C-alpha cells in the first residue's frame, strides 16, 4: 500500500483525506456499496494534444448510442480533464455538445498548433552568454514551438468556440482541470505545486474565467509557453502530475462531501501508443538530452520521449489507483477505463489529415470489439444508474 499512499499524498489539499481513505481501503477490501443513493458520475478525460480528437470521437459514439450527457450535459455530475482533456471537460461542462467538440478538433488543429517564428531575443540572449564564456547546451536555443497569443492561437480558437469568456462559477455543471503552478513568480507560493481549478462551491478557482482555466491546463512544456493565470500566477500543463485526472477527480468529489460508495468514474484516454526507449550497454552511459529530448520520432520511441514517458507514467498510476479504490475488474466495478490502442506513436501537435483519419479508423474499429460491447453494458448498468 505504500506506493498508493505516496502517490495520493500529492493530491492538492487532500493529504489527510488520502490517508484516511487508504487506511479504510487497507482495513477492508473493496466491496460493492449497499443502499447507496444516486450514483455520482464523473467523466475524466486525459491529456494528449491532438489525440483528444480520438477521445471526443469515443464520447460522441457513446452519446449517440446511450445519450450519456443528457440535456445540457447535466447527466454527468463532474467533468474532469487535463490539458486537451481539460478543453473537452470545460466545453462539455459549459454546455457545448460533443458533436461541436469533435468538429473543433477536426477543424482547428492547424490554428491551435501554429508554429511561431524564431524568437530573436531568446537566441541573442543565449549567444551573448556563450560569447561571455558560459558553457551553453544546445537546449538553450530551444524555444517554445507554439504560442497562446496572436493570430491564430489556442485562445482565438476558444474565443470562437465559446464567446464571452464566462466564469466557471456560471456553469450549470461542475468542472475541474489540473494545472501545474510554477510558483517562482508568485511571492505567496515560492515553490512549484500541483493545482486544481474547479467551480465547486467555495473553491478559489470558481472565479476563474474559462480561457484562463483552459490555457493554464494545456500549456504543455516545450510546445507552449507557461500561461499567466491572473489569480494563480504562471502555470504549465497539468499532465506533469495528473495526465489522467481520474483519481484526482475522485479525491475532489470526496472533499466536496460525496461518499466514495456513490462515485462512478468513466475514464477516457487519448489512445495507447506503442512506445519504448531502447537501451544497450553501448549507449546507456550517453543517455542524456540527445535521447530523452529527441524531437525526431524513431519507432518505437515517440518524439520528445521524456515528456511522453511522464504523461504515460502518471496516467498508468492514476488508472491503477482509481481501479483499486473503485473495484475495477470486479463484477460490481464502479470504474471503467477506455483507451484503445493506436497503431503508431503520435506527436501532441500532429494534426495532419492522415493522423486524423487514423484516429477515425481506430475509433471505428474499436466500436466492433468485445471491449466496446462490455463498455456499453457497463454504462447501461452502472454509469447511467
Amino acid at each position: 500500500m505504500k506506493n498508493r499512499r505516496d502517490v495520493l499524498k500529492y493530491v492538492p489539499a487532500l493529504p489527510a483525506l488520502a490517508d484516511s481513505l487508504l487506511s479504510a481501503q487497507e482495513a477492508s477490501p473493496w466491496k460493492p456499496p449497499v443502499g447507496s443513493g444516486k450514483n455520482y458520475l464523473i467523466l475524466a478525460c486525459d491529456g494528449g494534444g491532438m489525440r483528444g480528437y480520438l477521445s471526443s470521437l469515443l464520447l460522441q459514439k457513446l452519446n449517440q448510442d446511450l445519450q450519456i450527457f443528457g440535456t445540457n450535459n447535466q447527466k454527468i455530475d463532474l467533468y474532469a480533464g487535463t490539458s486537451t482533456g481539460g478543453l473537452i471537460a470545460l466545453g462539455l461542462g459549459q454546455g457545448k455538445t460533443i458533436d461541436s467538440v469533435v468538429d473543433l478538433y477536426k477543424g482547428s488543429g492547424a490554428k491551435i498548433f501554429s508554429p511561431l517564428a524564431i524568437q530573436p531575443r531568446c537566441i541573442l540572449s543565449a549567444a551573448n552568454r556563450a560569447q561571455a564564456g558560459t558553457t551553453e547546451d544546445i537546449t538553450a536555443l530551444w524555444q517554445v514551438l507554439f504560442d497562446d497569443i496572436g493570430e491564430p492561437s489556442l485562445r482565438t480558437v476558444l474565443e470562437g468556440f465559446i464567446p464571452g469568456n464566462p466564469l466557471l462559477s456560471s456553469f450549470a455543471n461542475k468542472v475541474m482541470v489540473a494545472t501545474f503552478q510554477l510558483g517562482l513568480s508568485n511571492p505567496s507560493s515560492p515553490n512549484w505545486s500541483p493545482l486544481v481549478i474547479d467551480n465547486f462551491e467555495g473553491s478559489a478557482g470558481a472565479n476563474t474565467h474559462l480561457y484562463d482555466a483552459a490555457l493554464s491546463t494545456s500549456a504543455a512544456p516545450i510546445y507552449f509557453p507557461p500561461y499567466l493565470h491572473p489569480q494563480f500566477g504562471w502555470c504549465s500543463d497539468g499532465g506533469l502530475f495528473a495526465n489522467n485526472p481520474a483519481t484526482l477527480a475522485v479525491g475532489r468529489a470526496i472533499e466536496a462531501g460525496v461518499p466514495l460508495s456513490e462515485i462512478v468514474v468513466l475514464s477516457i484516454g487519448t489512445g495507447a501508443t506503442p512506445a519504448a526507449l531502447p537501451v544497450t550497454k553501448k549507449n546507456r552511459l550517453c543517455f542524456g538530452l540527445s535521447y530523452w529530448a529527441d524531437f525526431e520520432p524513431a519507432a518505437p520511441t515517440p518524439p520528445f520521449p521524456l515528456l511522453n514517458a511522464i504523461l504515460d507514467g502518471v496516467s498508468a498510476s492514476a488508472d491503477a489507483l482509481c481501479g483499486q479504490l473503485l473495484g475495477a475488474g470486479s463484477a460490481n466495478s464502479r470504474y471503467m477505463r477506455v483507451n484503445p490502442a493506436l497503431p503508431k506513436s503520435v506527436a501532441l501537435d500532429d494534426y495532419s489529415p492522415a493522423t486524423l483519419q487514423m484516429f477515425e479508423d481506430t475509433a471505428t474499429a474499436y466500436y466492433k470489439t468485445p471491449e466496446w460491447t462490455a463498455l456499453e453494458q457497463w454504462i447501461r448498468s452502472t454509469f447511467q444508474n
Side-chain angles (χ1 to χ4, degrees):
M1 291 297 180
K2 182 176 183 298
N3 289 339
R4 289 164 58 190
R5 192 182 299 279
D6 287 345
V7 173
L8 276 187
K9 73 181 181 181
Y10 292 103
V11 176
L14 299 179
L17 167 65
D19 191 75
S20 61
L21 178 61
L22 286 174
S23 295
Q25 289 295 114
E26 290 164 359
S28 176
W30 185 90
K31 299 178 181 178
V34 177
S36 62
K38 176 186 178 297
N39 287 340
Y40 187 88
L41 306 181
I42 296 175
L43 174 65
C45 299
D46 282 21
M50 281 303 299
R51 284 157 48 188
Y53 182 47
L54 176 60
S55 306
S56 65
L57 289 171
L58 299 174
L59 290 171
Q60 182 184 49
K61 178 64 171 174
L62 288 175
N63 197 51
Q64 288 172 351
D65 292 351
L66 302 172
Q67 294 76 52
I68 62 171
F69 297 122
T71 304
N72 296 324
N73 300 338
Q74 291 184 5
K75 276 189 178 180
I76 291 176
D77 296 289
L78 173 60
Y79 292 91
T82 298
S83 194
T84 194
L87 302 182
I88 295 173
L90 289 167
L92 294 174
Q94 195 271 340
K96 301 296 290 187
T97 67
I98 187 59
D99 294 342
S100 69
V101 174
V102 168
D103 292 341
L104 181 73
Y105 276 100
K106 190 165 186 177
S108 299
K111 295 178 182 178
I112 294 172
F113 291 101
S114 176
L116 275 175
I118 293 174
Q119 301 178 51
R121 285 185 301 173
C122 300
I123 293 180
L124 286 174
S125 175
N128 288 336
R129 291 195 302 271
Q131 189 175 12
T134 303
T135 301
E136 286 288 332
D137 191 274
I138 189 62
T139 55
L141 299 179
W142 287 3
Q143 306 304 318
V144 290
L145 304 180
F146 309 98
D147 211 340
D148 52 14
I149 58 176
E151 296 283 352
S153 69
L154 176 54
R155 184 182 180 99
T156 58
V157 169
L158 292 171
E159 290 172 346
F161 186 52
I162 303 176
N165 198 15
L167 288 171
L168 300 190
S169 59
S170 71
F171 287 18
N173 306 307
K174 290 291 185 288
V175 296
M176 59 158 281
V177 297
T179 187
F180 196 80
Q181 192 175 18
L182 298 180
L184 298 179
S185 61
N186 185 350
S188 66
S189 178
N191 299 317
W192 58 22
S193 176
L195 176 69
V196 169
I197 300 174
D198 64 63
N199 62 351
F200 283 89
E201 185 177 356
S203 171
N207 290 324
T208 291
H209 287 88
L210 183 146
Y211 302 164
D212 293 323
L215 295 171
S216 294
T217 190
S218 60
I222 303 300
Y223 291 92
F224 292 95
Y227 181 75
L228 181 59
H229 188 289
Q231 182 179 358
F232 300 121
W234 292 106
C235 293
S236 197
D237 195 302
L240 290 171
F241 78 103
N243 196 57
N244 173 353
T247 306
L248 200 65
V250 170
R252 188 63 185 92
I254 292 174
E255 187 183 35
V258 181
L260 177 63
S261 62
E262 295 181 3
I263 293 175
V264 177
V265 177
L266 174 59
S267 174
I268 303 291
T270 56
T273 60
L277 191 58
V279 182
T280 67
K281 290 183 178 180
K282 183 177 180 179
N283 71 9
R284 72 178 182 87
L285 296 179
C286 300
F287 249 68
L289 287 173
S290 61
Y291 286 90
W292 281 109
D294 188 357
F295 274 99
E296 295 298 324
T301 305
F304 204 73
L306 177 59
L307 180 59
N308 279 275
I310 291 172
L311 299 182
D312 288 349
V314 296
S315 291
S317 63
D319 177 37
L321 285 168
C322 213
Q324 289 170 333
L325 292 173
L326 299 174
S330 72
N332 298 285
S333 173
R334 303 176 71 80
Y335 173 74
M336 180 64 74
R337 173 74 169 165
V338 184
N339 200 31
L342 290 169
K344 66 176 184 178
S345 295
V346 180
L348 299 183
D349 62 326
D350 188 350
Y351 56 84
S352 66
T355 296
L356 296 182
Q357 185 62 55
M358 182 189 70
F359 291 143
E360 294 170 9
D361 293 343
T362 298
T364 299
Y366 191 61
Y367 304 149
K368 302 174 184 178
T369 64
E371 290 83 359
W372 184 262
T373 301
L375 167 64
E376 291 202 330
Q377 290 174 345
W378 178 84
I379 287 177
R380 290 187 184 97
S381 63
T382 306
F383 196 71
Q384 291 185 319
N385 183 17

